[in-house]
Amino acid sequence: MALRGWRLFGVVGTIVAYVVGILLLSILSIQNHNPQRYSSSRLSERLSTPHGKEVSTVGRRQPIRWCRELRYIDGSLPPPIARPPRILHTLPGHRPFVLTTKAPEPTVSAQTFDKHLSGKVVALASFPGSGNTWLRYLLQQATGILTGSVYKDYGLMKSGFPAENVKNSSVLVVKTHERGPKVWSYFNRAILLVRDPLKAILAEFNRQSGGHVGFASPDRYKRTKGKYWEQFVRKQLMAWELMNVGWAKNFTGPIKIIFYDKLVDDVEGTLRDVLHFLKWPIDENLFSCAMSRKEGIYQRKKRLMSFDPFTMEMKQQLEEKRLEIFAILGRNET
């Protein structure tokens, strides 16, 4: 019995000595390392390298440099952005808010905005994926005035568009992807931004999968052996037609139709046309600054794909519909 006790004691002692040795080695190892290696300054230096920056800014957008501090038409500044709810409803689809407001219309200075537009609401209407956010960005840069939206996209609120969900005459224009008599009756004037359906549908598919500047993974196109993508294209093409023809033919107020490709080819000329339509006086110094920063951060970068998601049949249908609707909108192509 005594022998067994000593053996058990020896085993326990060996285990304890082993654990203590491991702990001592760990302590000595930590002490031998440079204490500044993990300091906050060293960590920030590591994150400032190209590789570290890429990792540390995943999901973040670089802050926009505005030519002038953004304000409402009456000169007031936007309030601080409230903390968003934990569950956001801005992706994968837009969720419209009710097109009414209990807030009183602001008093608009005649020196700042045409007095005949006081109390009027201007729509910036488009099918999703047509460049609405980029045009809002250009307008804000060229005027210093906030643009609003019938939606409340917290991602946009935090990245240069604090007037999301503001839909009265305190903002220059109000973004909408909606259509119908109730929507049209809310606005007095409208800008309709139209894009090639193939590119608009592809951009919207990417937005639903990767946000405003992200991309859909190749697997998304191949879901259910490609039927999911085919159905998406078919439904979105019908929605594209209804959106553009509906606004162009049924909106009773003054309307300015802008084609996205012409905006890309001639940013300055197109933006001047839009500002003239809005009867907004152009500050040449501010406009020049806007042109120097016209790219913005909300244009999705081009990506080379290893396959073409559009079949020949899809392309033919999209091209036929594009030519048909563009002709209705007054753009005939030979």
Side-chain angles (χ1 to χ4, degrees):
M1 290 294 294
L3 182 59
R4 289 182 180 178
W6 278 108
R7 287 179 178 176
L8 180 61
F9 178 78
V11 171
V12 173
T14 301
I15 293 173
V16 171
Y18 179 79
V19 171
V20 171
I22 293 296
L23 290 175
L24 288 174
L25 288 174
S26 300
I27 293 172
L28 291 173
S29 177
I30 292 173
Q31 289 178 345
N32 288 335
H33 277 73
N34 188 339
Q36 294 182 347
R37 181 176 179 179
Y38 298 102
S39 66
S40 58
S41 61
R42 294 287 292 177
L43 182 59
S44 63
E45 289 177 6
R46 292 176 67 199
L47 293 179
S48 66
T49 63
H51 178 73
K53 185 175 182 180
E54 180 181 351
V55 173
S56 64
T57 57
V58 171
R60 300 179 184 177
R61 300 186 182 95
Q62 297 301 312
I64 297 175
R65 294 173 56 223
W66 294 106
C67 295
R68 177 183 294 175
E69 187 175 21
L70 300 178
R71 298 174 180 269
Y72 289 103
I73 287 178
D74 65 357
S76 61
L77 294 171
I81 298 174
R83 188 172 183 178
R86 296 183 65 181
I87 301 177
L88 303 183
H89 295 297
T90 56
L91 291 176
H94 294 92
R95 289 178 177 250
F97 282 62
V98 180
L99 285 172
T100 58
T101 176
K102 296 181 181 179
E105 295 290 345
T107 302
V108 182
S109 170
Q111 289 75 24
T112 306
F113 201 61
D114 189 301
K115 62 182 180 181
H116 299 294
L117 294 182
S118 178
K120 308 298 183 180
V121 185
V122 183
L124 177 54
S126 70
F127 176 81
S130 298
N132 197 305
T133 302
W134 182 44
L135 183 51
R136 287 177 67 189
Y137 165 83
L138 291 171
L139 288 170
Q140 290 188 166
Q141 285 285 31
T143 64
I145 302 299
L146 292 161
T147 61
S149 173
V150 302
Y151 312 103
K152 195 169 187 177
D153 188 323
Y154 284 98
L156 291 180
M157 288 181 70
K158 295 174 63 178
S159 303
F161 300 91
E164 279 287 293
N165 200 34
V166 175
K167 40 194 177 287
N168 56 35
S169 62
S170 67
V171 291
L172 193 63
V173 295
V174 177
K175 167 185 174 178
T176 182
H177 299 313
E178 313 305 317
R179 67 179 193 278
K182 185 177 180 181
V183 177
W184 297 324
S185 65
Y186 185 81
F187 298 100
N188 303 95
R189 299 163 70 83
I191 299 166
L192 177 62
L193 182 60
V194 185
R195 190 179 188 183
D196 180 324
L198 183 149
K199 295 179 180 178
I201 291 171
L202 182 61
E204 174 60 6
F205 191 73
N206 282 319
R207 186 199 68 83
Q208 291 194 17
S209 302
H212 288 281
V213 294
F215 294 94
S217 66
D219 293 340
R220 294 278 294 176
Y221 296 94
K222 301 174 183 178
R223 287 177 56 185
T224 61
K225 298 181 179 180
K227 293 182 180 179
Y228 174 82
W229 167 242
E230 292 177 6
Q231 185 179 32
F232 181 88
V233 172
R234 184 170 59 254
K235 288 184 176 180
Q236 294 299 315
L237 180 58
M238 182 182 299
W240 178 87
E241 176 181 2
L242 293 173
M243 176 71 188
N244 292 311
V245 175
W247 273 94
K249 295 300 181 182
N250 298 316
F251 181 68
T252 57
I255 186 169
K256 177 74 172 177
I257 299 177
I258 300 295
F259 291 94
Y260 178 83
D261 61 317
K262 292 189 175 182
L263 173 63
V264 173
D265 293 339
D266 183 13
V267 177
E268 179 177 350
T270 306
L271 188 57
R272 285 184 182 275
D273 287 344
V274 172
L275 293 175
H276 286 316
F277 174 76
L278 294 173
K279 300 182 181 180
W280 188 269
I282 298 176
D283 180 326
E284 292 299 336
N285 291 329
L286 189 59
F287 193 89
S288 177
C289 176
M291 289 301 95
S292 69
R293 302 176 182 180
K294 62 185 178 181
E295 293 300 325
I297 63 173
Y298 283 102
Q299 281 186 289
R300 187 175 282 106
K301 304 299 181 182
K302 292 183 179 180
R303 179 183 67 165
L304 295 176
M305 299 181 65
S306 60
F307 67 99
D308 189 345
F310 295 98
T311 64
M312 291 302 297
E313 183 181 359
M314 286 181 185
K315 289 181 179 180
Q316 182 178 354
Q317 292 175 348
L318 289 164
E319 180 61 11
E320 290 176 355
K321 186 60 65 175
R322 183 186 73 84
L323 293 173
E324 176 190 344
I325 302 307
F326 275 25
I328 293 175
L329 300 179
R331 180 176 173 178
N332 294 296
E333 299 179 359
T334 57

